Structures are given as C-alpha cells and as structure tokens.
Amino acid sequence: MPWSLDPIGTLRTPHTDPAGMPIQPPGAAGVAGTAELDTEYTAGLADLDGFSHVILVYLFDRASGFDLAVVPFLDTTPRGLFSTRAPRRPNPIGLSIVRLVRVDGAVLHLDGVDMLDGTPLLDVKPFVPAFDVPDGACRTGWLEDVGDGARKRRSDGRFG
Ligand SMILES: C[S@@+](CC[C@H](N)C(=O)[O-])C[C@H]1O[C@@H](n2cnc3c(N)ncnc32)[C@H](O)[C@@H]1O
C-alpha cells in the first residue's frame, strides 16, 4: 500500500548547485544552515536543545529515478545502489547527522549541512551515541579502499 509523507519543514542551506557541494556532513563542518519547521510542530521541539547533534531525515527532491548499479561519488567502480548513499533511490530519502547549534522557536540552527537549499524535511530525531553507534568495530565494505579523506570530498554534481 502506498504511503504519503507530508514534510514538516524546509532545510535552508548555502548549497544551490550540487556541483562542488559536500557529500556528507564531515565535509560540511563550519557550513551553517537551518531547519525551518512549520510552526504547528514548535511544541515538539521542546527538550531538543539538550542534544549536541540531530538526525535529519529528508527528501532528495531534485533526484529522480534510480539505477541499481551506480558509480558513487567516491569511487570509479559501479556498486550496488544500496551499498551507497546516492540520492537517486526508489524512495529518495536522505539522512544526515549534523550539529545542533541552537533552537529558536520553530527554527533549528545547524552546522554541517550537506543538502541542497529548499530540501523538504521529513523528520528530526536526537542523535544518541548509545543508540546510534554500534558496539565493536564496524566494517565499511568498498569504502575501506577509499580512505578516510573520503568523508570530506565534494560532489561532482552528479546525482549519483
Ligand atoms: C551523497 S548524498 C548524502 C546525503 C546524506 N548525508 C545521506 O547519506 O543520505 C549528498 C549529495 O546529494 C545531493 N543532494 C543534496 N540535496 C539534494 C536534494 N534535495 N535533491 C537531490 N540531490 C540532493 C548532492 O549532490 C549532495 O552532494
């Protein structure tokens, strides 16, 4: 059965062109943005200011279609779509963990934004290391060959 989701607000960022923009929050350190929620949700932001980071769930609204094999931004080898963070997906949902600078009414002031300006916001959750960071060593598949510098690379403008 199909589902429909209504955005709860809009992400405002300095990124108007996918070419050259960060591809993940570590590459966007120092890049300020805001999450402007519809005011009907303001009461739901109570207590969020105690968290240093939030998980943003949003729609890649400028991506369309998908391929099951993609050449990721960080690689030259085709990879299975679901082993990548490519924006073109069957359900084009993005996820970013960013620093919460402050809460001002219905507006979240953020640092480390890696999405285009005007991106529709679907949800906000507090980032909790005890919940969100798995115990033990993590394997990172094909990304292990790309190296740590990959975290800070920038997009070449392809929508992946
Ligand atoms: C590789 S994705 C990663 C986003 C998120 N951190 C994730 O892992 O889901 C980031 C890239 O998606 C593209 N992008 C960002 N916002 C978008 C939007 N609203 N619609 C389509 N593509 C977008 C840009 O090329 C950006 O560099």
Side-chain angles (χ1 to χ4, degrees):
M1 142 179 168
W3 294 73
S4 79
L5 298 172
D6 281 332
I8 59 170
T10 304
L11 291 161
R12 293 288 170 205
T13 78
H15 310 303
T16 54
D17 183 349
M21 67 177 281
I23 57 172
Q24 289 295 343
V31 180
T34 54
E36 300 181 358
L37 276 73
D38 298 344
T39 51
E40 66 185 287
Y41 299 115
T42 305
L45 296 173
D47 306 308
L48 192 64
D49 60 358
F51 293 84
S52 63
H53 291 78
V54 289
I55 303 170
L56 303 176
V57 181
Y58 52 88
L59 199 62
F60 288 122
D61 61 327
R62 274 147 279 185
S64 61
F66 63 90
D67 297 304
L68 292 178
V70 300
V71 179
F73 293 126
L74 298 172
D75 203 359
T76 53
T77 304
R79 305 288 179 182
L81 172 64
F82 299 114
S83 75
T84 78
R85 300 292 191 94
R88 294 179 59 245
R89 325 180 68 83
N91 295 308
I93 288 175
L95 183 152
S96 298
I97 297 168
V98 301
R99 195 163 71 81
L100 177 62
V101 177
R102 71 175 194 281
V103 181
D104 187 6
V107 179
L108 306 181
H109 293 263
L110 309 167
D111 184 283
V113 291
D114 67 335
M115 66 294 295
L116 287 166
D117 185 42
T119 292
L121 177 65
L122 298 176
D123 202 3
V124 177
K125 300 171 194 260
F127 175 74
V128 181
F131 302 161
D132 300 316
V133 179
D135 291 334
C138 295
R139 295 188 300 127
T140 56
W142 61 267
L143 276 159
E144 287 174 11
D145 297 329
V146 175
D148 193 50
R151 302 188 318 140
K152 303 199 172 168
R153 287 217 201 131
R154 289 181 170 253
S155 164
D156 62 7
R158 282 179 296 140
F159 279 133

